[in-house]
Amino acid sequence: MPYNVLSVELKNQIWLMYLRKSRQDDPNESVEEVLAKHEAILQEWARRELGHEIPEDCIYREIISGGESIDEREEIRKVLARIEDPRVAGIICRDPQRLTRGSLEDCGRLISTLKYTSTLVATQMMTYDMNNKMERKFFENELMRGRDFLDYTKEVLLQGRIAAIKRGCYISSQVLYGYRKVVIGKDHTLEPDENADIVRMIFDLYVNHDMTYYQIACRLNDMGAKPQKGDKWDKSSIRWMLRNVHYDGKVCFNRVKRITSIENGERVTRSLMQPEEEIIIAEGKHQPLVDHETFMKAQEK
């Protein structure tokens, strides 16, 4: 169904707008800037083809995308739940790939939901009806093209991350306790912050004063020192810090990987420690917070 032959009945039904930033968008623009630009384009389409703008309560913006899977994106789940309402005629989006670039399972789930709810998907170029074989095939091809591009992009990004690690860069999105992230040239690295002395004290208490993880956590809590997350230190956070090679001036990649498996018919994702031969450790550009001798004594213990 070309977008310019919508019936009066369809025009008068409810239409939803879904907005999500893609890797294909300008990387120099923020998520909010991209979504605002796309919203303006799609509102122009709505005024021209529907005769009215999409109201705010029908606009869904995926500001923070937890991942490529539908189950990891709250806003698209809201959209798919709402189109069960027969009063909803369709979804307006920038292109089909905005709805999902996930697995074949996700693509099939999306298409089935659109088909059995008789929900149209409208873009600037075309409006897709999943009950029309030809249009459904066009839609499927668009999703598969996006999936192939995503797989290629992920591989390119992975190789870039590995190269950055080997140069000694700090590539994690999480800030490490005792450091702040800084940019030198085009590389991200670390520099000590006001909590660096707390890290040094943890290693000293463990190596030179033979205190346990629990005893160190109690000492820090009694001092009023705050951990990175939560209100109180615990022994697991102390144990993790004492094993963290970044405090020895190293950088590390692929120590933990998210692995998905099927258990009792359900998809389960776990974070698993990787074999030693799969882990990449390199000299970092940042200053170690403890000397190498002290760090190695902690590892021996």
Side-chain angles (χ1 to χ4, degrees):
M1 180 188 295
Y3 68 75
N4 57 346
V5 294
L6 292 175
S7 67
V8 173
E9 181 183 1
L10 285 173
K11 291 181 180 182
N12 290 332
Q13 287 184 272
I14 297 171
W15 285 78
L16 310 179
M17 182 186 295
Y18 178 74
L19 303 164
R20 179 165 80 111
K21 190 177 188 297
S22 166
R23 287 187 176 93
Q24 292 174 302
D25 294 314
D26 188 344
N28 297 315
E29 293 181 330
S30 68
V31 174
E32 291 76 11
E33 289 171 333
V34 169
L35 299 194
K37 181 170 65 177
H38 290 178
E39 182 177 344
I41 293 171
L42 296 179
Q43 287 290 20
E44 180 182 354
W45 180 96
R47 288 191 297 269
R48 183 179 67 247
E49 304 303 330
L50 304 178
H52 60 82
E53 290 194 352
I54 307 301
E56 181 60 32
D57 64 346
C58 291
I59 300 176
Y60 295 84
R61 303 174 182 86
E62 204 77 68
I63 301 295
I64 301 176
S65 177
E68 297 302 329
S69 168
I70 288 174
D71 289 330
E72 296 175 316
R73 293 190 279 124
E74 181 179 359
E75 296 305 305
I76 192 62
R77 294 202 312 273
K78 291 179 182 178
V79 170
L80 296 183
R82 190 166 177 185
I83 64 176
E84 295 178 11
D85 183 344
R87 296 173 299 172
V88 176
I91 305 167
I92 308 171
C93 59
R94 194 77 169 92
D95 55 64
Q97 299 167 23
R98 306 286 164 159
L99 298 176
T100 184
R101 275 185 171 174
S103 62
L104 292 175
E105 179 185 357
D106 268 359
C107 294
R109 172 183 171 186
L110 173 65
I111 292 169
S112 295
T113 303
L114 294 170
K115 178 180 178 181
Y116 295 126
T117 59
S118 297
T119 303
L120 304 177
V121 175
T123 69
Q124 288 177 286
M125 301 300 295
M126 180 175 179
T127 297
Y128 301 86
D129 182 352
M130 298 306 131
N131 290 297
N132 180 300
K133 283 187 177 181
M134 187 64 70
E135 292 176 12
R136 184 170 69 246
K137 185 63 176 177
F138 289 157
F139 189 81
E140 291 172 351
N141 288 342
E142 282 295 303
L143 294 185
M144 292 302 100
R145 188 166 64 87
R147 181 66 200 174
D148 290 344
F149 178 79
L150 176 64
D151 288 342
Y152 169 76
T153 302
K154 283 184 174 180
E155 181 60 30
V156 171
L157 291 174
L158 174 61
Q159 295 305 317
R161 289 167 68 83
I162 292 174
I165 279 289
K166 291 181 177 180
R167 293 200 311 271
C169 302
Y170 183 76
I171 64 173
S172 174
S173 59
Q174 296 183 340
V175 179
L176 193 64
Y177 188 85
Y179 286 108
R180 65 174 65 88
K181 288 179 68 174
V182 295
V183 180
I184 300 177
K186 295 184 178 181
D187 291 339
H188 290 77
T189 186
L190 301 167
E191 67 177 20
D193 68 5
E194 64 279 2
N195 293 315
D197 285 339
I198 298 292
V199 176
R200 297 185 184 102
M201 184 177 72
I202 289 171
F203 276 86
D204 178 61
L205 293 175
Y206 185 68
V207 171
N208 299 319
H209 298 272
D210 206 29
M211 292 179 66
T212 65
Y213 306 141
Y214 177 75
Q215 289 172 329
I216 295 172
C218 290
R219 171 72 68 88
L220 295 176
N221 290 330
D222 290 343
M223 291 172 50
K226 295 296 182 184
Q228 192 163 18
K229 296 180 181 178
D231 295 324
K232 298 290 185 181
W233 291 88
D234 58 40
K235 60 183 182 180
S236 62
S237 58
I238 300 299
R239 179 175 179 270
W240 177 84
M241 290 179 68
L242 288 166
R243 292 187 172 198
N244 196 312
V245 298
H246 290 87
Y247 295 126
D248 187 32
K250 307 290 194 300
V251 286
C252 179
F253 180 69
N254 202 43
R255 184 179 293 276
V256 177
K257 183 181 288 186
R258 287 170 62 84
I259 304 295
T260 300
S261 60
I262 301 296
E263 297 180 12
N264 299 319
E266 298 290 332
R267 188 169 59 184
V268 178
T269 301
R270 291 189 173 89
S271 296
L272 300 178
M273 293 292 294
Q274 294 303 290
E276 187 173 339
E277 62 271 15
E278 297 290 329
I279 300 171
I280 300 174
I281 297 178
E283 288 294 331
K285 293 177 177 290
H286 63 283
Q287 170 189 338
L289 293 190
V290 296
D291 62 82
H292 182 67
E293 183 181 357
T294 298
F295 183 84
M296 292 311 298
K297 284 182 179 179
Q299 306 321 298
E300 291 168 8
K301 289 192 65 176

